[in-house]
Amino acid sequence: MPDEVIKILTVFACLTFLWGVSIFPQIGLSLLGCIVRWKESVNLHASVSLSRMRDSAAWLLLPTFLLLCSEYDIYPAVWPLEAWPSIVRTSLVFAVYLLVRGLCNLVFRGWKISRKDFYCAICCQRNFFIILVFIMALTFCVSFIFGLAHEVTSNVLGWEIVVVYAVHLIRKTQIFVHYVGFLAGFLYLCTLEILPTGLLVAPLLLR
């Protein structure tokens, strides 16, 4: 991909990241609370203003996530995508992930749980995505300042994705269990997460 395009994407990612950072002070405490307890995700989603700011921040931070993943080759090149630029591969992986997750949510919504409670559990992933991008951005800054090796930074970023995704799954499970019980909550987790997890996280564990 031409250097000019990479520079434009980098500037765009920086601008959207700064915009997302400007929202963080208003939702930061709620996001940190989501790490500690599952009820904070419910409270955040119940607030119209906070949930809107949360959703806006998640979309604004997406370019930064894609750029960091592509810069450090988080998702390795596999056939038939070997010849494609890293940013294109990464964007494609994430687009397929969102598509599969959306289809799973559409197919399995409404079984033993209300629409409101279902989307409360589903949207908690946005809370952890915002947290993840800030952690990854901090790792990038530390790597840049101290001159860490590319491979080391890549491995650290990959494990950050895995760990934050795991915490997200735990909190989502707790929300489902609260509304529909342990067995139904576990079944929801399996049906909604197996395919998306396979697309987004499994490649990182197999690197």
Side-chain angles (χ1 to χ4, degrees):
M1 183 173 290
D3 291 340
E4 291 76 11
V5 176
I6 297 297
K7 290 179 181 178
I8 293 174
L9 292 176
T10 302
V11 171
F12 177 73
C14 290
L15 291 175
T16 55
F17 178 78
L18 292 175
W19 193 355
V21 169
S22 68
I23 300 175
F24 188 79
Q26 303 171 70
I27 60 175
L29 290 178
S30 295
L31 292 177
L32 294 177
C34 294
I35 301 175
V36 180
R37 64 193 193 112
W38 63 268
K39 287 186 178 180
E40 196 61 41
S41 291
V42 176
N43 295 336
L44 194 157
H45 188 73
S47 171
V48 175
S49 59
L50 289 180
S51 61
R52 284 179 177 173
M53 286 187 287
R54 183 270 314 275
D55 295 345
S56 298
W59 285 111
L60 287 170
L61 294 175
L62 179 58
T64 300
F65 174 79
L66 296 177
L67 196 63
L68 286 174
C69 287
S70 64
E71 175 66 23
Y72 288 95
D73 296 319
I74 300 299
Y75 295 98
V78 294
W79 186 89
L81 306 179
E82 294 175 322
W84 293 24
S86 181
I87 184 65
V88 177
R89 291 199 311 268
T90 304
S91 301
L92 182 60
V93 168
F94 200 78
V96 174
Y97 164 79
L98 293 178
L99 177 61
V100 171
R101 176 175 289 282
L103 290 176
C104 289
N105 294 344
L106 183 64
V107 171
F108 296 106
R109 190 200 70 78
W111 177 53
K112 291 190 175 182
I113 189 172
S114 69
R115 180 184 179 91
K116 177 183 177 181
D117 296 337
F118 179 82
Y119 281 106
C120 174
I122 294 303
C123 290
C124 80
Q125 70 187 41
R126 300 172 189 174
N127 305 335
F128 290 93
F129 177 75
I130 295 171
I131 295 170
L132 172 63
V133 175
F134 276 107
I135 293 175
M136 293 176 68
L138 180 61
T139 301
F140 170 77
C141 292
V142 171
S143 175
F144 180 79
I145 293 172
F146 293 98
L148 299 181
H150 184 278
E151 184 177 354
V152 172
T153 306
S154 177
N155 289 332
V156 171
L157 292 175
W159 278 107
E160 286 173 353
I161 295 174
V162 172
V163 171
V164 174
Y165 196 88
V167 176
H168 149 257
L169 290 183
I170 293 172
R171 295 293 176 250
K172 178 182 285 188
T173 302
Q174 290 174 316
I175 295 174
F176 275 128
V177 169
H178 173 73
Y179 287 120
V180 297
F182 179 79
L183 180 59
F186 178 75
L187 292 176
Y188 262 116
L189 183 69
C190 291
T191 54
L192 294 174
E193 295 297 338
I194 288 179
L195 285 177
T197 301
L199 287 169
L200 194 65
V201 176
L204 302 179
L205 298 175
L206 298 174
R207 295 174 65 191

